[in-house]
């Protein structure tokens, strides 16, 4: 192969000089290209060769130093923001940053201080909240790690006069308010994991409409009284053990809120909760008893059914033969076999329902939960007797192949004289067509003189070719005035 100038030997000598760092002589292959004069792409140029890469133009060193100096002298932009969020910083650092912020009417201020092994002193929390108050946030979110019970004094919560929403997560802590001042614009207050009573601060919140409290209450008596309150959600936890495990103490919560529309209670720990209402406008109620010790509503021995959750609200209901849905009050209950011998029923279903501020229920949704078989007929019929305004019960039976012990003599005696005069429709899910189920259906037909429609969904896996299914059809066919649907199909002769 022919090469430029001195042939192969000359090419090797030129390449050696290039490797050694001489920029004067560069070898160029003789493929039709010519050595390029120094210019934009340097000297290495040809038809099969690419120009060398070059980086961006560099500023002079002095210009770069002057620019960095001006940046250091400039004020940080974050100090002018109207939304500030501090997470994972210690209280001293957050106070220093707040002192540098220049915006005095923040739209939102969020401070989340992580917990420490020795805890954060109440004085530090008070100082940090006072620094936050100087910026007059419209929305405040404040979270601070807690301390052991009784290991620290309450901190002072300033009255954020401009705030419309305050969210405090104060693990196992309490607070006090200054001698004067109020939350004049506060509409929503959320307190999580606190040990403070609402009696201590509600009088300072004249415009409060929504109150959410997650409380470690050790009080036997708590009053929530506020004329402007429209929504109240309580999460009542009692972490301290009781002295006598066979005697569950009770906690009384009195709600006095004439404008209240929505109430929800979640009860945990080792106490039963009794709620008393003075709220004529309430529309939506919800109770959930998450621990066995707090389930004190139900039937007495030998039946161990207890209320797990209870709620009521207005809902849209379509009646059979009518095209348009109408609004009806719905009562939803989940009852469970509370297999805890130390917890006796403190009050019955009837006593609890009487305590509710509303009782004109048209629809009852009742779910029964039990791992093994359990007779349910008497409990359901007695509950329907108590709720004599119910027009449409919807029962969800336990998913089991057995129903347990059934004493016909006792059931007949207990259910004598029951008359469900308003019952028009009934829906049953999980019917397993045992003797107990047949007897319950017979009692239901006999007790409801104006019953028009029955919808039955059989237990999963139940064969419709079995003899028991035929017995169910004979029972349904005998009631010619009732339209009976089994798994969605109308059963008729």
């Amino acid at each position: 192969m022919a090469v430029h100038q001195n042939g192969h030997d000359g090419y090797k000598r030129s390449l050696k000089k290039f490797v050694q760092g001489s920029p004067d002589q560069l070898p160029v292959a003789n493929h039709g290209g010519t050595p390029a004069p120094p210019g934009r792409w340097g000297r290495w140029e040809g038809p099969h060769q690419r120009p060398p890469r070059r980086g961006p133009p560099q500023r002079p060193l002095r210009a770069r130093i002057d620019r960095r100096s001006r940046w250091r002298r400039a004020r940080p932009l974050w100090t002018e923001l109207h939304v500030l969020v501090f997470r994972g910083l210690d209280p001293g650092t957050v106070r220093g940053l707040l002192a540098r912020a220049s915006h005095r009417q923040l739209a939102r201020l969020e401070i989340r201080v992580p917990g420490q092994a020795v805890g954060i002193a109440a004085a530090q929390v008070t100082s940090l909240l006072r620094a936050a108050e100087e910026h007059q946030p419209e929305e405040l979110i404040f979270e601070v790690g807690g301390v052991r019970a009784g290991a620290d004094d309450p901190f002072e919560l300033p009255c954020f006069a401009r705030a419309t929403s305050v969210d405090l997560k104060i693990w196992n802590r309490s607070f006090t308010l200054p001698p004067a001042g109020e939350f004049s614009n506060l509409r929503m207050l959320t307190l999580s994991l606190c040990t403070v009573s609402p009696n201590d601060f509600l009088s300072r919140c004249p415009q409060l409409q929504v109150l959410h409290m997650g409380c470690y209450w050790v009080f036997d008596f708590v009053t929530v009284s506020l004329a402007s309150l429209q929504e109240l959600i309580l999460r009542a936890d009692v972490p301290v053990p009781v002295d006598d495990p066979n005697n569950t103490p009770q906690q009384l919560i009195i709600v006095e809120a004439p404008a209240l529309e929505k109430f929800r209670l979640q009860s945990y720990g080792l106490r039963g909760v009794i709620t008393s209402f003075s709220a004529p406008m309430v529309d939506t109620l919800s109770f959930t008893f998450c621990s066995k010790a707090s389930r004190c509503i139900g039937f007495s021995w030998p039946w161990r059914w207890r209320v797990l959750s209870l709620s009521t609200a207005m809902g849209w209901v379509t009646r059979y033969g009518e095209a348009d849905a109408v609004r009806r009050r719905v009562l939803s209950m989940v009852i469970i076999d509370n297999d805890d011998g130390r917890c006796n029923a403190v009050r019955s279903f009837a006593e609890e329902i009487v305590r509710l501020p509303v009782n004109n229920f048209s629809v009852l949704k009742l779910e029964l939960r039990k791992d093994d078989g359990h007779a349910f007929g008497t409990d359901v019929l007695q509950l329907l007797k108590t709720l004599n305004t119910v027009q449409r019960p919807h029962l969800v039976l336990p998913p089991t192949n057995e129903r347990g012990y059934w004493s016909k003599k006792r059931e007949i005696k207990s259910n004598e004289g029951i008359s469900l005069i308003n019952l028009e429709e009934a829906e049953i899910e999980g019917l397993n067509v045992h003797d107990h189920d047949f007897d319950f259906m017979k009692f239901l037909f006999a007790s409801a003189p104006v019953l028009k429609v029955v919808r039955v969904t059989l237990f999963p896996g139940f064969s419709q070719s079995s003899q028991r299914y035929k017995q169910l059809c004979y029972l349904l066919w005998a009631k010619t005035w009732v339209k009976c649907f089994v798994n969605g199909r109308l059963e008729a002769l």
Side-chain angles (χ1 to χ4, degrees), residues 429-447:
E429 293 185 28
L431 194 70
N432 208 6
V433 202
H434 287 287
D435 290 342
H436 173 276
D437 301 54
F438 274 115
D439 292 331
F440 172 73
M441 294 291 291
K442 292 177 181 178
F443 275 116
L444 183 64
F445 282 124
S447 305

Side-chain angles (χ1 to χ4, degrees), residues 134-209:
E134 295 179 358
H135 296 274
Q136 303 179 27
E138 185 176 355
E139 178 184 358
L140 173 66
I141 300 176
F142 186 81
E143 179 179 354
V144 62
V147 295
R148 298 185 303 273
D152 198 7
D153 296 329
F155 62 88
E156 185 178 281
L157 177 64
C159 293
F160 292 84
R162 187 172 174 269
T164 60
S165 174
V166 175
D167 184 351
L168 300 180
K169 294 180 175 63
I170 46 176
W171 180 276
N172 200 22
R173 289 180 179 268
S174 62
F175 61 81
T176 59
L177 298 178
E182 62 182 19
F183 297 85
S184 55
N185 292 313
L186 189 61
R187 300 294 188 274
M188 180 175 182
L189 175 61
T190 302
L191 298 176
S192 302
L193 306 172
C194 66
T195 58
V196 64
S197 171
N199 304 334
D200 300 334
F201 61 85
L202 283 183
S203 60
R204 303 284 192 96
C205 308
Q207 303 297 327
L208 188 63
Q209 298 177 358

Side-chain angles (χ1 to χ4, degrees), residues 215-217 220 236-251 267-273 289-296 340 342-343:
C215 320
Y216 276 161
W217 278 341
D220 295 329
D237 302 339
V238 183
V240 295
V242 296
D243 297 332
D244 185 2
N246 295 318
N247 184 16
T248 303
Q250 300 299 304
Q251 184 179 63
S267 177
Y268 299 80
L270 300 176
R271 285 195 182 194
V273 178
F289 306 97
C290 300
S291 64
K292 291 182 178 181
S294 65
R295 298 171 194 157
C296 53
D340 192 344
R342 72 179 184 178
C343 180

